[in-house]
Amino acid sequence: MHSSASLTVKRVPVISPDGRPLMPTKPSRARRWLKDGKARIYPNDLNIFAIELLNKPSGHKTQDVVIGIDTGKLFSGIGLQSSKATLLKLHLILPFPNITKKMTARRILRRARRGRRINRKLPYDQRCHKAKRFDNRVQKKLPPSIRANRQLELRVVKEATRLFPISHIVYEYIKARGDKGFSPAMVGQKVMLSWLLKLAPTATQYGWQTSNLRQWLKLTKEKTDKSKAVEETHSNDGVALAASHFVNWKEWHSSNARGGYWDGEVVATVAPFKVIARPNVYRRQLHFENPDSHKPNPNQYRKRKGGTITPFGFCSGDFVQASKAGQTYRGWIGGYTRTTKSKNVSVYDHNWKRIGQFSLKKIKLLKRSCKLCVA
């Protein structure tokens, strides 16, 4: 048995006084506990409304709560599901393109430095080749872009385990196309599964199985533009993955026909939806690649680039509220400019597109950086 996602059943995470996640409750009950002084708001990095009990709970019994992870290259979807309600939907914007761009720039600069250092007019055995400092070429390494994707997913899953009593994890398994002997995506998948097994029992499921179950749950799928930050692109797949823990596909055969049906009970409902990304901050560099040609001696004057600290008390990734021309904006600190006439701070949205530059007097700090941008 299943239910349509149009039901308005929402749940609020509940945390015990000793920090253990309990079964979530209804919003009306959570508000009543806050009003009666039995609970307080529990801050978390996912910016989800949660409460923490002030007194010892009557019990710690929990039902199965499952996380479904629909992994991808540019975007991932995560869904939290119990047998009676959908608890949370998450859309992750993965840092893959930003990491590859930074690694390409680093590789170009490194090769340029080596080219300037080596005198190729000398015989090969007399050139200044730098000897290796340690042997690090025999390990099984992940590409930095794939590792960053999986680490962001793992970070979000860990935050979810602090809010909900997670019992199982279901991960969508992919296979490399063709007869390739090596696939970075599959290596990253293997490493990710080893990380998840340390958190909770983890099962895998293929994409076609997820598609069949999603259609049975009557959850829509956006296939034209998968970059849209909506529930229909990836998070519904995460819900379908999590729901697979509660139902099984059973086949039947007869003399002239065959078929199958889903056996079990699960209810898919509306749930809070969040879009999560990672701040696209740059590592601190002492100067740009090229010197400033407008100075008398260009080699002595190079612009500053990167870093996470500002001289104004803010850090890159801090969540702030800024105002300009009568309008109020909320975003994350991404940089600053300081001249003799003005001091401005750049504020970015969750897609790391700059909203604008704001004066220090018109910026209010809301939350310190937790390395997550939650919209």
Side-chain angles (χ1 to χ4, degrees), residues 13 42-50 67 78-80 87-92 152-164 166 272-277 319 332 367-375:
Y42 182 76
N44 56 87
D45 290 345
L46 296 183
N47 288 352
I48 298 172
F49 176 63
I67 293 183
I78 295 179
L80 276 72
L87 304 178
L88 183 63
K89 295 181 179 181
L90 301 175
H91 177 91
L92 273 60
L152 177 59
E153 293 171 355
L154 181 67
R155 167 72 189 284
V156 173
V157 170
K158 285 184 176 180
E159 293 298 331
T161 58
R162 297 187 178 99
L163 297 174
F164 299 93
I166 303 301
F273 176 70
K274 299 287 184 179
V275 181
I276 301 178
F319 189 54
W332 291 266
K367 184 180 180 181
R368 283 295 183 184
S369 174
C370 63
K371 305 299 177 62
L372 292 178
C373 297
V374 182

Side-chain angles (χ1 to χ4, degrees), residues 27-46:
S28 58
R29 182 180 296 174
R31 290 192 296 267
R32 185 169 66 250
W33 287 348
L34 291 173
K35 183 178 180 180
D36 297 340
K38 297 180 180 180
R40 61 186 176 186
I41 295 178
Y42 182 76
N44 56 87
D45 290 345
L46 296 183

Side-chain angles (χ1 to χ4, degrees), residues 65-130:
V65 176
V66 187
I67 293 183
I69 306 174
D70 175 30
T71 184
K73 182 178 180 180
L74 301 179
F75 307 96
S76 290
I78 295 179
L80 276 72
Q81 179 73 38
S82 68
S83 61
K84 298 182 179 180
T86 304
L87 304 178
L88 183 63
K89 295 181 179 181
L90 301 175
H91 177 91
L92 273 60
I93 302 176
L94 301 179
F96 182 89
N98 297 327
I99 298 297
T100 53
K101 187 186 301 182
K102 294 175 183 178
M103 296 301 295
T104 301
R106 192 179 77 169
R107 180 169 61 251
I108 293 173
L109 295 176
R110 181 180 68 248
R111 291 176 177 176
R113 289 194 302 270
R114 288 178 178 175
R116 290 193 299 266
R117 176 172 52 82
I118 297 175
N119 184 6
R120 288 177 172 79
K121 296 181 180 180
L122 298 175
Y124 184 82
D125 57 350
Q126 297 180 12
R127 296 177 187 175
C128 182
H129 288 288
K130 184 178 179 181

